[in-house]
Amino acid sequence: MMRFTNPRDLYHGKGALEALKTLKGKRAVICVGGGSMKRFGFLDKAKAYLEEAGMEVALIEGIEPDPSVTTVMNGAQKMLEFEPDWIIAMGGGSPIDAAKAMWIKYEYPETTFEDMCKIFGLPELRKKAHFVAISSTSGTATEVTAFSIITDYDKGIKYPIADFQITPDIAIVDPELAETMPKKLVAHTGMDAITHAIEAYVSTAACAYTDANALYSMDMIRNNLVASYNEDMAARDTMHDAQCMAGIAFSSGLLGIVHSMAHKTGAAFEKYGAHIIHGAANAMYLPKVIAFNAKDERAAERYAYIADYMKLGGETREEKIANLIAMLRKMNDDLNIPHCIKNYGADSYPTEQGFVPEEVFLEKLPDIAANALLDACTGSNPRQPSQEEMEKLLKCCYYDTEVDF
């Protein structure tokens, strides 16, 4: 038996934020990030709509990119004091992911972070509060997913929390919020979204319900992401729907080792002055993982079908897969994303010598590979790598060398 889970309601289109006026309750807490929602007036709008609905409203502000375990625990404590019956998470993936984890701790104060990370092992939520997710970026699709990514900075590792319990009750997909994104964020979140769609389509948990969303969304992204990056607002509005559909695909269809590797490399080199931004990591690793997974017969057939669906050309299956990889690399070029860690600058842009020194990467490689193998996303990858293969694959992602194993 398989399961396909979505939010109960999904409000979309310009002006969808007004759906907050329809909520019934006494108290709501709004969780937001670094200030863009306040700067562009969306936080004030959301607060006014909730107050119009008759609720007292509190704020949890300043949730950082790549939210930490400490941020989660502090936010949950504020919720315990305020006792909301609605949790409204608003902004990019980080505040929504953090709020999901806060929600678990709020409902079950004795829960530890280690308890949260037990895959599909959470107790039943919604005893105290329901959850609304409002995305301002077009990539993570956490507004419709059963996942949250929280960083343990002591270990330098991002941990996925995975359970259908944290699928939001209501998703609001209002493209007016996404129109405020800076170009770099458009690029990274967009490549995150196409990675979601492609990984979900070849995942061992894929089914007809996830395939439909995966295929349609990846073609929408291919046709609109670069235009969105170049300030075409009609394309950006389309991207906001496309990334959400990709999220619907992977929330039930799951992901693969592109995400496993991105989770374990993102914060691994923090001491050297930067993170490898999640969407950029996915963009760099996806072509390499496609080449690795294509040694699996079913995955190869599915990658070739993607190429056919997007009319990329090619006579043989191998040619079609090569054309898919070439398309993705061209998108990276158009979006100013490097092809490998060696050329990944501290500002995320391509450079001759990136911020991760070769000797540091090689020293950390065995641990990164081992942690990637243990990641929640690895189990649904179509080809299960060994420790040796994962290390070789990560080396290909560092040096931008061919995957021939």
Side-chain angles (χ1 to χ4, degrees):
M1 182 175 70
M2 302 173 75
R3 179 172 175 176
F4 183 77
T5 300
N6 278 329
R8 185 196 69 195
D9 292 305
L10 193 157
Y11 296 93
H12 59 98
K14 290 192 175 184
L17 191 63
E18 285 193 40
L20 293 174
K21 293 193 294 189
T22 68
L23 303 185
K24 308 295 183 187
K26 295 179 179 178
R27 285 178 296 278
V29 62
I30 304 177
C31 303
V32 291
S36 65
M37 291 297 93
K38 178 182 286 187
R39 194 162 59 251
F40 292 108
F42 295 113
L43 177 58
D44 287 342
K45 277 188 179 181
K47 185 172 182 288
Y49 289 147
L50 292 166
E51 289 172 343
E52 187 176 336
M55 284 192 251
E56 182 184 353
V57 181
L59 303 179
I60 296 176
E61 299 183 81
I63 296 171
E64 74 276 31
D66 302 311
S68 67
V69 177
T70 300
T71 293
V72 167
M73 298 305 168
N74 290 342
Q77 183 58 43
K78 292 179 182 177
M79 290 182 186
L80 285 165
E81 293 165 3
F82 184 65
E83 297 185 338
D85 38 26
W86 284 100
I87 298 168
I88 316 295
M90 186 177 192
S94 295
I96 298 175
D97 280 2
K100 286 179 176 179
M102 293 173 193
W103 184 23
I104 299 166
K105 183 73 173 177
Y106 169 52
E107 299 242 356
Y108 294 94
E110 71 284 359
T111 299
T112 65
F113 181 65
E114 289 71 23
D115 292 333
M116 295 182 195
C117 294
K118 294 173 183 174
I119 303 304
F120 294 98
L122 293 178
E124 184 178 351
L125 299 181
R126 297 165 179 83
K127 304 291 187 182
K128 295 181 179 179
H130 287 79
F131 195 98
V132 181
I134 308 165
S135 179
S136 67
T137 61
S138 300
T140 68
T142 189
E143 73 272 13
V144 292
T145 74
F147 301 97
S148 165
I149 306 298
I150 304 298
T151 302
D152 185 331
Y153 284 95
D154 291 336
K155 297 179 180 178
I157 295 175
K158 294 183 178 184
Y159 287 96
I161 301 171
D163 198 293
F164 289 117
Q165 287 294 326
I166 59 171
T167 304
D169 296 284
I170 296 173
I172 295 177
V173 185
D174 188 331
E176 289 184 344
L177 280 68
E179 290 179 3
T180 65
M181 285 192 294
K183 289 185 71 169
K184 184 194 291 190
L185 190 57
V186 171
H188 294 160
T189 55
M191 290 307 293
D192 190 18
I194 201 167
T195 304
H196 292 155
I198 293 173
E199 286 211 288
Y201 188 70
V202 301
S203 161
T204 58
C207 67
Y209 299 97
T210 61
D211 285 351
N213 285 287
L215 282 169
Y216 197 75
S217 63
M218 71 178 76
D219 200 35
M220 289 173 73
I221 296 165
R222 179 244 185 154
N223 290 325
N224 288 278
L225 175 54
V226 174
S228 172
Y229 177 75
N230 290 322
E231 311 289 355
D232 180 330
M233 289 303 153
R236 192 166 298 184
D237 291 354
T238 300
M239 273 298 303
H240 209 43
D241 288 328
Q243 64 84 30
C244 183
M245 292 170 62
I248 290 169
F250 91 79
S251 186
S252 295
L254 306 183
L255 294 168
I257 58 173
V258 177
H259 274 76
S260 303
M261 294 156 63
H263 292 155
K264 304 318 178 194
T265 53
F269 309 103
E270 183 190 16
K271 291 180 181 178
Y272 295 86
H275 283 204
I276 301 176
I277 297 170
H278 179 72
N282 284 339
M284 293 189 294
Y285 307 163
L286 179 58
K288 305 302 182 191
V289 170
I290 289 174
F292 175 79
N293 284 342
K295 304 294 191 296
D296 174 85
E297 187 73 15
R298 172 184 167 276
E301 288 179 3
R302 290 197 149 227
Y303 288 132
Y305 187 85
I306 290 171
D308 285 340
Y309 184 81
M310 293 198 282
K311 299 180 175 59
L312 300 180
E315 295 298 322
T316 67
R317 189 168 70 183
E318 290 71 23
E319 288 175 354
K320 293 173 183 179
I321 295 169
N323 288 346
L324 174 62
I325 290 171
M327 180 207 81
L328 292 166
R329 288 178 66 91
K330 175 65 163 55
M331 289 180 72
N332 285 350
D333 288 336
D334 291 342
L335 298 168
N336 209 15
I337 296 174
H339 291 296
C340 62
I341 299 170
K342 182 174 182 288
N343 299 131
Y344 184 94
D347 58 2
S348 84
Y349 293 125
T351 184
E352 186 67 26
Q353 180 56 58
F355 83 94
V356 180
E358 180 180 24
E359 64 275 13
V360 172
F361 173 80
L362 293 173
E363 179 186 348
K364 288 179 172 287
L365 178 61
D367 286 343
I368 291 172
N371 287 328
L373 289 172
L374 293 172
D375 189 87
C377 295
T378 299
S380 48
N381 194 69
R383 184 182 173 198
Q384 290 297 302
S386 64
Q387 172 75 19
E388 180 185 5
E389 288 170 332
M390 181 61 83
E391 289 186 25
K392 288 170 70 176
L393 188 55
L394 283 160
K395 280 185 178 180
C396 290
C397 293
Y398 184 85
Y399 297 108
D400 192 22
T401 49
E402 293 296 319
V403 177
D404 58 1
F405 54 93

